[in-house]
Amino acid sequence: MSGLAVSETNQAEHAHIHSALDLEQVDQNLYRSRSLWKPFGGRGVFGGSCYFLASAKASQRIIYYVERLREGKSYSTRAVKALQDGHVIFILICSFQRPEPWQPQYQWQMPKVPPPSEFLYEEDRLQKIIDSDEFKDNQRARDFFKVWQYERVRSPIAVKLVKESEALDDGSIRFMYYMRAKNLPSAGNEAYPVAFQKCILSYLSDLYFVGVAPRTLGFERFSKGPNATGMVSSLDHTIHFFSDSLDCGEWLLYVGSGRAVVRGQMFSQDGSLVAVLSQEGVVRADIRGPEPPAANAKL
């Protein structure tokens, strides 16, 4: 079955995205994860929007402690600490605002791009790479793309590449993707509320984001040396939501650019700015630094 067919007919993703974000309440302000996923090649569990202090293990549930910092008339603020093995592994601070739609608004304009129907699903694009002669003599690369393609088929998030490595007038490099959650209910009482839609957006926004940095730097996969990717890992991830009118079951245009600090915007199909995002990561080439001097022997 092709990637397109799997993406459109596999109803398991609906439960997958729900279980990936679902939490068990243990006590007042205390929660526990139900499902964790470690992506292929990842250093730890797939994250969302927070400050990452350490990689999380998928084999052990995460405990979340919520601290209520402020309760105001217009704003409220929460701090969340995630713990595993008794250690804090990441910290989240989030601010909630009472909607004020009567206030003046301004947004970046959505880039002009063709509609989603004109682009391949990522799993189909990867399959074309696998079937091509580009890596026919590189088994390591072929195995990498096969696993990546398999993960995209099984993922609860559908992705389509729109533009890759587009050079802008200011010298930055821009990447664009269409993204949406697969098989979400979108009508009546079955539709997810706005708060959960924002959780889904946070989840999908961590895909294909910090990876922009090594590609902007011109790092190469499947090689060694100063031009090869040695390490890519997220340090922190920030989202500013601009709209409550979002449906992650519909295509969102994800626009990202940057080097070690990647910035992005997410637009709905009608051109409305849904969210502004930034992510800081550590990106290292496959180069070892100088060895530290040997310590003097002690008698």
Side-chain angles (χ1 to χ4, degrees), residues 69-89:
L69 300 179
R70 182 177 188 271
E71 294 285 1
K73 293 182 179 180
S74 298
Y75 294 88
S76 61
T77 308
R78 302 287 186 269
V80 182
K81 292 182 179 179
L83 299 97
Q84 202 175 62
D85 280 334
H87 300 286
V88 177
I89 57 174

Side-chain angles (χ1 to χ4, degrees), residues 10 52 80 124 134 139 190 243 248 253 266 268 278 289 298:
N10 188 347
F52 301 94
V80 182
D124 292 334
E134 184 177 359
Q139 190 60 45
E190 295 294 323
S243 174
C248 291
L253 180 66
M266 199 168 287
S268 61
S278 63
K298 294 182 179 180

Side-chain angles (χ1 to χ4, degrees), residues 64-247:
Y64 301 92
Y65 170 66
V66 180
E67 186 175 1
R68 300 170 183 264
L69 300 179
R70 182 177 188 271
E71 294 285 1
K73 293 182 179 180
S74 298
Y75 294 88
S76 61
T77 308
R78 302 287 186 269
V80 182
K81 292 182 179 179
L83 299 97
Q84 202 175 62
D85 280 334
H87 300 286
V88 177
I89 57 174
F90 64 73
I91 299 172
L92 164 70
I93 295 180
C94 48
S95 176
F96 302 91
Q97 178 195 6
R98 188 183 301 277
E100 299 178 359
W102 55 86
Q103 292 293 334
Q105 299 182 16
Y106 171 81
Q107 70 162 68
W108 283 292
Q109 293 300 307
M110 176 178 171
K112 294 182 179 180
V113 295
S117 58
E118 297 193 19
F119 300 96
L120 289 174
Y121 281 88
E122 189 71 343
E123 47 265 47
D124 292 334
R125 186 182 73 87
L126 293 170
Q127 187 62 55
K128 290 185 69 174
I129 294 175
I130 295 168
D131 294 338
S132 71
D133 293 334
E134 184 177 359
F135 298 104
K136 66 177 181 179
D137 297 324
N138 189 334
Q139 190 60 45
R140 179 183 169 216
R142 290 177 58 82
D143 290 342
F144 172 86
F145 284 113
K146 285 178 180 179
V147 175
W148 187 5
Q149 193 264 356
Y150 177 69
E151 281 204 346
R152 294 274 18 105
V153 170
R154 295 178 64 248
S155 172
I157 306 300
V159 178
K160 293 185 174 185
L161 174 64
V162 179
K163 284 192 177 181
E164 186 175 31
S165 300
E166 179 188 20
L168 302 180
D169 293 339
D170 62 1
S172 59
I173 306 297
R174 184 167 67 179
F175 295 75
M176 286 189 273
Y177 298 89
Y178 278 121
M179 293 185 180
R180 67 170 177 80
K182 300 176 185 175
N183 302 305
L184 283 193
S186 58
N189 295 329
E190 295 294 323
Y192 286 143
V194 172
F196 199 76
Q197 294 280 358
K198 290 182 178 180
C199 291
I200 297 173
L201 188 147
S202 300
Y203 181 90
L204 66 83
S205 73
D206 210 26
L207 291 166
Y208 292 79
F209 200 20
V210 74
V212 166
R215 297 165 75 183
T216 299
L217 290 167
F219 286 1
E220 300 173 352
R221 294 193 186 108
F222 321 119
S223 63
K224 295 181 180 181
N227 294 324
T229 302
M231 175 186 176
V232 179
S233 183
S234 178
L235 298 176
D236 61 73
H237 187 166
T238 304
I239 301 178
H240 303 276
F241 290 100
F242 276 69
S243 174
D244 285 342
S245 301
L246 70 156
D247 181 356

